[in-house]
């Protein structure tokens, strides 16, 4: 049985986007297998907030600020740029167990498969206009 990914969400909007993209990449876009640990924001020295639910309000978020069960979960910390080659091994580990990931994952490779989804969701959140008008702007790249 495939596990789920617990993302220790840290940082501002940009870092949160990369964290979401990496988690989605790990689970092939299945948001039901992603959990977000928001405990960082309870004690952050910088006034940061969880922003993904504001940017992409239609996505389903499983958020937690309390301690999440640790039994049977592998904890993996990444360098700021993610893993150079071993990230595919992490996907294999996910087939065996759930993973708790911490890092920034700033690689376009993780964002690329979901860029259209991100673009569409972001434009709807920002402009809050009917989808037909948004499609026009996106089609003509005028945003």
């Amino acid at each position: 049985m495939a596990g789920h990914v617990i993302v220790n969400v840290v940082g501002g909007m940009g870092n949160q986007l990369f964290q979401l993209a990496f988690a989605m990449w790990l689970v092939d876009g299945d948001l039901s297998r992603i959990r977000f640990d928001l405990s960082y924001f309870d004690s952050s020295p910088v006034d940061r907030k969880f922003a993904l639910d504001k940017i992409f309000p239609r996505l389903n978020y499983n958020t937690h600020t309390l301690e999440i069960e640790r039994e049977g979960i592998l904890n993996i910390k990444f360098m700021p740029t993610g893993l150079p080659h071993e990230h595919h091994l992490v996907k294999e580990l996910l087939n065996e167990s759930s993973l708790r990931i911490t890092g920034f994952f700033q690689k376009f490779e993780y964002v690329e498969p979901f860029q259209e989804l991100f673009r569409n969701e972001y434009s709807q959140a920002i402009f809050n206009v009917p989808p037909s008008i948004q499609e026009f702007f996106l089609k003509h790249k005028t945003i």
Side-chain angles (χ1 to χ4, degrees):
M1 180 177 148
H4 61 273
V5 174
I6 300 168
V7 181
N8 287 335
V9 182
V10 297
M13 179 179 72
N15 286 326
Q16 292 176 37
L17 279 170
F18 279 111
Q19 292 160 1
L20 173 61
F22 182 64
M24 289 176 69
W25 179 83
L26 283 173
V27 297
D28 298 319
D30 183 358
L31 283 170
S32 69
R33 294 176 56 205
I34 300 174
R35 307 288 184 268
F36 296 91
D37 182 343
L38 307 181
S39 58
Y40 163 83
F41 300 107
D42 295 336
S43 61
S44 171
V46 181
D47 187 25
R48 301 270 171 108
K49 305 284 186 237
F50 181 64
L52 293 175
D53 58 340
K54 311 296 185 289
I55 301 168
F56 306 117
R58 297 185 319 153
L59 297 183
N60 180 30
Y61 296 96
N62 296 301
T63 60
H64 304 275
T65 55
L66 302 174
E67 186 69 17
I68 297 175
E69 178 186 338
R70 295 200 185 276
E71 187 174 324
I73 295 176
L74 298 172
N75 291 291
I76 299 176
K77 292 189 178 184
F78 296 91
M79 300 304 290
T81 56
L83 293 174
H85 303 291
E86 297 87 354
H87 55 233
H88 294 284
L89 296 176
V90 175
K91 264 191 165 182
E92 291 177 24
L93 287 172
L94 192 54
N95 291 327
E96 307 286 326
S97 175
S98 292
L99 302 175
R100 175 182 289 272
I101 58 174
T102 303
F104 296 99
F105 325 108
Q106 296 173 347
K107 292 184 83 169
F108 185 68
E109 175 182 354
Y110 308 138
V111 177
E112 188 174 26
F114 311 107
Q115 64 183 338
E116 191 65 29
L117 170 70
F118 286 0
R119 184 179 296 117
N120 290 338
E121 290 295 324
Y122 179 71
S123 66
Q124 289 185 23
I126 295 299
F127 295 107
N128 198 21
V129 296
S132 59
I133 295 172
Q134 291 176 33
E135 287 173 19
F136 171 81
F137 284 114
L138 289 171
K139 181 179 178 183
H140 293 89
K141 301 185 188 303
T142 58
I143 302 179

